[in-house]
Amino acid sequence: MVAKTFFGFEDVLADELLKLGALRIEKGTRMVSFYGDKGFMYKANLALRTALKILKPIKQFKVFNETSLYKGMQTIDWNDYLKVHQSFVIDATVFSDQFNHSQFVALKSKDAIVDQFKELFNDRPNIDKDHPDLRINVHIQQDLCTVSLDTSGASLHHRGYRTATNIAPINEVLAAGILLMSGWEGQTDFLDPMCGSGTFLVEAAMIACNIPPNINRKEFAFEKWNDWDNDLFEKVEDSLLKKIKEFHFDILGYDKAPSAVAKAIDNARNANLDDYIKVEQKNFFETEKETERPLHMVFNPPYGERLDIDLERFYREIGDTLKQSYPGTNAWFITGNLEALKFVGLKPSRKIKLFNGKLESRLVKYEMYAGSKRTKFQNRGNHE
């Protein structure tokens, strides 16, 4: 199988697969391939936090032109996967000199499947873009075509808990990947000081309690397959639910907009995590750390893309607030505004290249030590 992910999360996803029990794991670009049985396919869809889709390759062949693509698609016995009264759709991705249009590849592949059914049954399955019985993925890399069944359906970032979103919500898979990359395991208090609709809060609580991220999801594509095994799925689900654990720290979100606070509270409730998550209407720049305990902070400040703010002042205030009010804190944030980072006035201890949508971004870490500056310099050398 192949798990697709965002750029930069390949290592995190491979690590997740290893812990779940996948075999023969291999990292690629924006994807990780692995082996597992049908039960593991169900488990991967339910439990992987950083996967966008799980694909199951069924055939590979060489393509040089539209004829070889058509013939290759016809070498697959589609009756094994699809009945004549059912519906399907094709998603195509193309990185090739011979083919430069994914729509064309999808159309040609569809023709091959439809023609095979017409020949056998004098009838054909329909195309359904929204709720097909079978979602097929055709991937062409130069002259190699890989045909896969899409086991997930809609992208796995559709967790099912987020009904209310803010102006610029962060994708759930991106949020989970950032949290895992930041080393968050639920061993300390957690704060998102600009929580928006609460995606980081919910994902952080799910990681802390070891809750499968897609347990609230309405449906997966494999539920419509001919070999769907409901008993096996429930068995897999039960075994994952048995591994849920308690969490003994605080998960806190601030936002200065009352509408965002209301949305975050709603989403936490939808995820059945409102016992663990507390959201308050506060301006981060007027807050300070509430306890002596270590704090793990992750947030997604505005970039000035969709929100009109004075970036220089805003990012300077982030730095000042961290420095003056948040000792004993590991603070991580992602920004798509690389210029704005200069204004923070602190030296990041980590800087990781990621993409937020199409926007090249940086995930940065600032370590705020407890105690006076002098002891910090003695302990750490010239770290600041």
Side-chain angles (χ1 to χ4, degrees):
M1 286 175 274
V2 172
K4 313 271 277 183
T5 190
F6 289 123
F7 172 88
F9 287 162
E10 297 87 354
D11 290 348
V12 182
L13 178 53
D15 189 46
E16 278 198 272
L17 280 159
L18 189 64
K19 286 179 180 149
L20 266 193
L23 304 169
R24 291 157 67 185
I25 298 164
E26 273 183 47
K27 288 179 280 196
T29 307
R30 296 189 174 87
M31 54 80 79
V32 180
S33 66
F34 61 97
Y35 282 77
D37 58 12
K38 190 199 288 189
F40 193 83
M41 179 180 82
Y42 295 166
K43 187 170 157 186
N45 274 284
L46 280 164
L48 288 174
R49 299 181 195 283
T50 55
L52 291 161
K53 266 187 188 295
I54 313 290
L55 301 176
K56 181 186 167 189
I58 52 171
K59 185 90 177 183
Q60 275 193 333
F61 50 86
K62 293 280 185 160
V63 285
F64 309 102
N65 50 35
E66 58 180 278
T67 311
S68 52
L69 171 64
Y70 181 91
K71 283 183 173 159
M73 290 300 289
Q74 287 224 316
T75 60
I76 300 165
D77 186 350
W78 287 104
N79 199 36
D80 289 348
Y81 307 106
L82 189 63
K83 296 297 170 238
V84 75
H85 62 271
Q86 290 182 307
S87 61
F88 73 101
V89 72
I90 293 176
D91 301 315
T93 41
V94 180
F95 305 95
S96 161
D97 301 330
Q98 290 85 357
F99 301 93
N100 50 19
H101 211 291
S102 56
Q103 287 310 105
F104 174 77
V105 168
L107 201 64
K108 210 72 205 156
S109 305
K110 179 211 73 164
D111 289 347
I113 296 171
V114 165
D115 291 351
Q116 190 185 86
F117 275 96
K118 278 185 181 161
E119 209 165 296
L120 286 169
F121 305 104
N122 209 11
D123 199 357
R124 52 159 288 182
N126 288 321
I127 301 296
D128 183 344
K129 288 184 174 155
D130 299 322
H131 288 287
D133 294 306
L134 190 69
R135 197 171 263 280
I136 300 159
N137 186 281
V138 177
H139 182 275
I140 298 179
Q141 184 81 42
Q142 291 311 337
D143 62 354
L144 185 66
C145 179
T146 307
V147 182
S148 308
L149 307 182
D150 182 339
T151 77
S152 310
S155 165
L156 292 175
H157 79 274
H158 294 292
R159 308 278 207 229
Y161 64 78
R162 196 165 80 176
T163 52
T165 60
N166 236 22
I167 303 172
I170 193 162
N171 176 296
E172 293 86 335
V173 166
L174 184 61
I178 287 170
L179 288 164
L180 292 173
M181 216 172 237
S182 76
W184 169 249
E185 289 175 338
Q187 307 298 319
T188 60
D189 292 333
F190 180 91
L191 171 66
D192 177 349
M194 302 178 188
C195 71
S197 54
T199 309
F200 273 130
L201 303 175
V202 174
E203 296 293 329
M206 288 204 284
I207 292 168
C209 300
N210 201 30
I211 294 167
N214 287 310
I215 206 76
N216 296 307
R217 191 176 152 105
K218 304 285 180 283
E219 61 172 7
F220 298 95
F222 54 66
E223 292 177 50
K224 292 181 170 180
W225 290 9
N226 300 330
D227 69 350
W228 161 240
D229 186 336
N230 192 46
D231 293 344
L232 176 62
F233 181 76
E234 284 179 6
K235 209 176 280 179
V236 170
E237 213 171 26
D238 287 346
S239 76
L240 287 168
L241 290 171
K242 282 196 183 93
K243 296 193 175 93
I244 289 177
K245 54 184 202 258
E246 268 305 315
F247 170 68
H248 303 290
F249 299 94
D250 295 329
I251 292 181
L252 191 57
Y254 299 152
D255 205 285
K256 61 179 196 181
S259 60
V261 171
K263 285 169 188 170
I265 290 169
D266 266 2
N267 290 335
R269 194 180 299 123
N270 291 338
N272 301 313
L273 290 166
D274 42 339
D275 287 354
Y276 296 99
I277 295 168
K278 193 163 122 202
V279 191
E280 296 177 358
Q281 188 190 341
K282 282 186 180 175
N283 179 348
F284 172 51
F285 304 145
E286 294 163 7
T287 64
E288 54 185 39
K289 190 160 168 254
E290 295 188 350
T291 69
E292 295 284 297
R293 301 192 302 219
L295 178 66
H296 195 95
M297 186 191 287
V298 181
F299 61 112
N300 174 33
Y303 309 157
E305 284 279 301
R306 310 185 205 184
L307 299 165
D308 190 24
I309 50 169
D310 176 349
L311 278 179
E312 183 171 341
R313 185 175 159 204
F314 189 83
Y315 278 78
R316 187 170 290 127
E317 285 194 51
I318 290 177
D320 291 348
T321 307
L322 288 174
K323 195 160 45 188
Q324 289 153 19
S325 307
Y326 282 88
T329 298
N330 277 334
W332 294 77
F333 70 79
I334 182 172
T335 180
N337 194 315
L338 310 186
E339 281 300 295
L341 280 177
K342 296 173 185 162
F343 305 127
V344 176
L346 302 169
K347 195 171 171 15
S349 57
R350 296 278 307 276
K351 220 180 197 178
I352 302 163
K353 178 178 166 181
L354 295 174
F355 285 86
N356 187 354
K358 292 203 165 30
L359 200 61
E360 187 181 318
S361 305
R362 292 290 179 277
L363 175 64
V364 286
K365 178 189 187 185
Y366 298 98
E367 294 177 49
M368 312 317 300
Y369 301 106
S372 74
K373 227 171 205 175
R374 173 165 293 184
T375 52
K376 263 186 287 188
F377 277 117
Q378 286 167 348
N379 294 342
R380 295 274 170 176
N382 191 1
H383 193 89
E384 296 245 315

